Amino acid sequence: MMDRAEVFEVGPRDGLQNEKAQISTRDKIALVDCLSGAGFKRIEVASFVSPKWVPQMADSAEVLAGIARRDGVSYAALTPNMRGFEGAVAAKADEIAIFGSASEGFSQANINCSIAESLARFASVAEAARGANIPVRGYVSCVVECPYDGATAPASVARVVAQLLAMGCYEVSLGDTIGRGTPEAVDSMLSAVLEVADARHLAGHFHDTSGRALENVTVALERGLRVFDGAVGGLGGCPYAPGAAGNVASEALARHLAALGYETGLNMDVLAEAAAMAHRMRGDSHV
Ligand code: HMG
Ligand code: MG
């Protein structure tokens, strides 16, 4: 029997948030519904952040209201603070994500506060989520390198991971936000993180700027991780991480995992349709 690994689909959020031209709510909904048809069990579809900071995500509540919810699929939303949490609850997100950084420069650029201030905010959100019985996922950005501060010390990543887990995050996703991580750097980072966290509570989130995301996935698999974030069609980037490319493409990730002997449960034909849809939404001319 093949071992299992999961692709956590973040395309409708991480993939689209950076698009300059406003994509219609209807197209976003169609993409999410196609992705649930492809077999993803967790899909990040919304982000309750300031619309001044990320205009593309301003219709998050409408997207959550319009999708055809499939049994067994968890539809996730980013929530930077209590206001975001309240928006996500009102829109009936199944789970939320709090998103911090291992580097001060990115924390300031992305959410306008220090790491310590962000953790204090996240603690309130996590506590409210526990009260409402809503699972919380955590993110740590810049786990190997920061566009503002340079290389990130593995110990800084481990510190933030430990705090997010202590707040009750059921899983923490480790973000190579600018996609410059080498397999060696990812391995050193994981050595430090695995001292404070079990691999079952970690996910890999690799942007593919340097084309090494799949190698980094292999390193993380060897370290015991079994969940990897991907964006259909390789869409994306982060508006506050200049030069960051999209997440590793979910379809390439699924093929890579299959080649290494891991079953993802995804329907590759439907996934290819979703990838074509995502490229059309972005206006790519070759599809
Ligand atoms: P701030 O300016 O420090 O906050 O922003 P504020 O509390 O002073 O509020 C400023 C304005 O935002 C006010 O409106 C608030 O009402 C409004 P104004 O009075 O100016 O009209 N506001 C909100 N509006 C809607 N929803 C909210 C909300 N909160 C405040 N929840 C804040 C702080 C966090 C809001 C801002 O910095 C922000 O929205 N940042 C979002 C950045 C973002 O979304 N980045 C991309 C996602 S992270 C990522 O991509 C990395 C990841 O993929 C992992 C990886 O790759 O590493 C997860
Ligand atoms: Mg990301």
Side-chain angles (χ1 to χ4, degrees):
M1 218 180 89
M2 286 171 95
D3 285 335
R4 285 196 70 86
E6 183 185 356
V7 180
F8 186 122
E9 175 58 48
V10 297
R13 193 282 303 173
D14 208 354
L16 296 182
Q17 70 182 8
N18 208 28
E19 289 301 310
K20 295 283 169 288
Q22 192 63 40
I23 293 163
S24 76
T25 307
R26 205 178 55 185
D27 283 354
K28 292 177 183 172
I29 291 169
L31 179 64
V32 173
D33 288 345
C34 190
L35 289 165
S36 62
F40 291 101
K41 294 298 175 216
R42 293 185 283 168
I43 310 176
E44 201 167 75
V45 303
S47 183
F48 291 89
V49 297
S50 162
K52 286 189 190 144
W53 284 62
V54 187
Q56 187 65 252
M57 293 285 108
D59 60 351
S60 284
E62 289 80 4
V63 171
L64 275 160
I67 55 179
R69 291 178 187 244
R70 260 177 213 258
D71 283 350
V73 177
S74 180
Y75 297 93
L78 292 194
T79 56
N81 51 22
M82 282 307 294
R83 167 129 178 232
F85 174 71
E86 282 149 18
V89 171
K92 300 193 168 52
D94 297 305
E95 66 176 87
I96 59 154
I98 49 184
F99 51 106
S101 171
S103 72
E104 288 293 345
F106 185 74
S107 185
Q108 289 291 350
N110 193 45
I111 50 175
N112 205 24
C113 62
S114 68
I115 297 172
E117 285 163 333
S118 76
L119 291 169
R121 277 182 208 168
F122 297 153
S124 314
V125 173
E127 194 186 326
R130 192 164 40 247
N133 227 356
I134 296 177
V136 185
R137 195 175 195 235
Y139 279 104
V140 182
S141 285
C142 300
V143 296
V144 282
E145 202 166 319
C146 169
Y148 308 101
D149 299 349
T152 303
S156 307
V157 185
R159 220 169 14 245
V160 180
V161 169
Q163 295 190 65
L164 290 173
L165 289 172
M167 281 177 208
C169 288
Y170 75 88
E171 180 175 288
V172 175
S173 178
L174 302 166
D176 179 12
T177 315
I178 55 173
R180 293 223 206 101
T182 61
E184 296 73 28
V186 168
D187 198 51
S188 311
M189 178 275 294
L190 287 173
S191 278
V193 171
L194 286 166
E195 290 194 5
V196 301
D198 191 292
R200 283 172 307 165
H201 298 134
L202 297 171
H205 179 106
F206 299 110
H207 286 257
D208 204 18
T209 318
S210 313
R212 305 199 76 178
L214 293 177
E215 288 175 70
N216 292 335
V217 167
T218 304
V219 164
L221 280 166
E222 283 163 6
R223 289 292 198 152
L225 276 67
R226 293 291 179 270
V227 178
F228 299 97
D229 299 350
V232 63
L235 294 182
C238 174
Y240 297 100
N247 294 84
V248 63
S250 302
E251 55 279 19
L253 187 49
R255 277 194 300 271
H256 184 70
L257 291 168
L260 294 176
Y262 294 91
E263 169 66 57
T264 61
L266 295 170
N267 179 324
M268 296 305 288
D269 294 333
V270 182
L271 187 48
E273 270 174 49
M277 195 185 270
H279 284 296
R280 278 197 301 273
M281 284 163 66
R282 191 159 72 161
D284 288 351
S285 52
H286 62 279
V287 285

